[in-house]
Amino acid sequence: KAGVTQTPRYLIKTRGQQVTLSCSPISGHRSVSWYQQTPGQGLQFLFEYFSETQRNKGNFPGRFSGRQFSNSRSEMNVSTLELGDSALYLCASSLDGRETQYFGPGTRLLVL
Amino acid sequence: GESVGLHLPTLSVQEGDNSIINCAYSNSASDYFIWYKQESGKGPQFIIDIRSNMDKRQGQRVTVLLNKTVKHLSLQIAATQPGDSAVYFCAENISGGSYIPTFGRGTSLIVHP
């Protein structure tokens, strides 16, 4: 069974731009969660989607948003990028959100 | 243990030694715990989990110990190999609710051949 995939793997953007990241969960997994990982803050939860609905949300500003499609694929969007948004963005999937999560390789975003 | 600031705690061991990585969790209501391994340039990889009705669980070369009294979790790796070099995270969660795990900062394990 294929693992969680994320595209693109690397991105360079400038301040003020927006970015969309994509995640394809493991087949059959309906829950997709997004995390931001930085050296200073570690792994921080952004939001979780289940059956196309945002079920849980972390403590991030409204510039961070996401969605999930009927095939469980998910996208996250960051608008009006700031330098501090430079991070590794990880997506994780699980069967129903209450089981072990499996992570993708991440998208490394650099904001200049 | 947990880190402060930008620097992760680091554990350096020789190949073949046993490694013990510690984690203190914060929420006494947490009842599900997971260890992840993250190699450079990759996402975290599930290693082993344990529920609060157990105090020990063994996998292949790994053992997780849970001490609920002091809210402490440890990961023991037997016969550590260079391929075990990575950052190890513990995560805590409350089962029966929505899955929003809390991750520790991680410990960097360096295995010297």
Side-chain angles (χ1 to χ4, degrees):
Chain A
K1 192 182 272 192
V4 178
T5 59
Q6 292 186 245
T7 57
R9 292 294 312 278
Y10 303 93
L11 264 180
I12 300 176
K13 293 284 188 178
T14 55
R15 279 183 300 173
Q17 287 187 308
Q18 73 162 14
V19 66
T20 299
L21 312 181
S22 181
C23 171
S24 292
I26 292 172
S27 178
H29 285 192
R30 297 169 62 192
S31 168
V32 174
S33 293
W34 288 90
Y35 295 86
Q36 182 194 67
Q37 186 177 36
T38 60
Q41 299 298 320
L43 206 59
Q44 293 186 290
F45 173 77
L46 280 156
F47 29 65
E48 183 222 3
Y49 284 86
F50 181 81
S51 293
E52 302 178 62
T53 301
Q54 186 182 89
R55 189 162 66 172
N56 293 290
K57 189 176 188 304
N59 190 27
F60 277 81
R63 299 186 297 109
F64 293 81
S65 63
R67 59 177 175 168
Q68 187 180 34
F69 302 95
S70 58
N71 62 357
S72 294
R73 191 178 70 85
S74 177
E75 290 181 347
M76 69 163 281
N77 184 276
V78 188
S79 63
T80 319
L81 284 165
E82 301 176 359
L83 295 179
D85 297 333
S86 295
L88 180 67
Y89 289 88
L90 291 159
C91 161
S93 76
S94 69
L95 280 170
D96 63 2
R98 293 177 175 79
E99 299 296 328
T100 303
Q101 293 185 327
Y102 295 88
F103 284 83
T107 294
R108 186 163 295 282
L109 172 65
L110 177 62
V111 182
L112 302 175
Chain B
E2 300 302 310
S3 68
V4 176
L6 299 177
H7 301 288
L8 293 176
T10 298
L11 175 64
S12 290
V13 301
Q14 291 295 129
E15 182 178 1
D17 286 352
N18 296 330
S19 302
I20 299 176
I21 300 170
N22 297 304
C23 177
Y25 64 93
S26 57
N27 190 344
S28 56
S30 294
D31 59 0
Y32 179 53
F33 306 89
I34 310 139
W35 279 99
Y36 287 93
K37 170 187 179 184
Q38 187 174 22
E39 297 174 272
S40 181
K42 298 183 180 179
Q45 175 189 359
F46 171 85
I47 302 173
I48 191 168
D49 58 2
I50 188 169
R51 297 193 181 274
S52 59
N53 60 349
M54 304 173 70
D55 52 21
K56 179 179 179 179
R57 189 166 187 220
Q58 288 184 291
Q60 187 177 14
R61 282 201 308 118
V62 295
T63 301
V64 55
L65 299 177
L66 174 62
N67 185 329
K68 295 180 287 294
T69 303
V70 295
K71 294 190 287 187
H72 183 269
L73 202 62
S74 69
L75 177 71
Q76 299 178 1
I77 305 174
T80 315
Q81 303 167 1
D84 295 327
S85 294
V87 176
Y88 290 81
F89 296 95
C90 67
E92 59 179 296
N93 198 23
I94 301 172
S95 60
S98 297
Y99 198 96
I100 309 179
T102 302
F103 286 83
R105 286 291 185 90
T107 296
S108 177
L109 175 65
I110 299 172
V111 183
H112 301 281

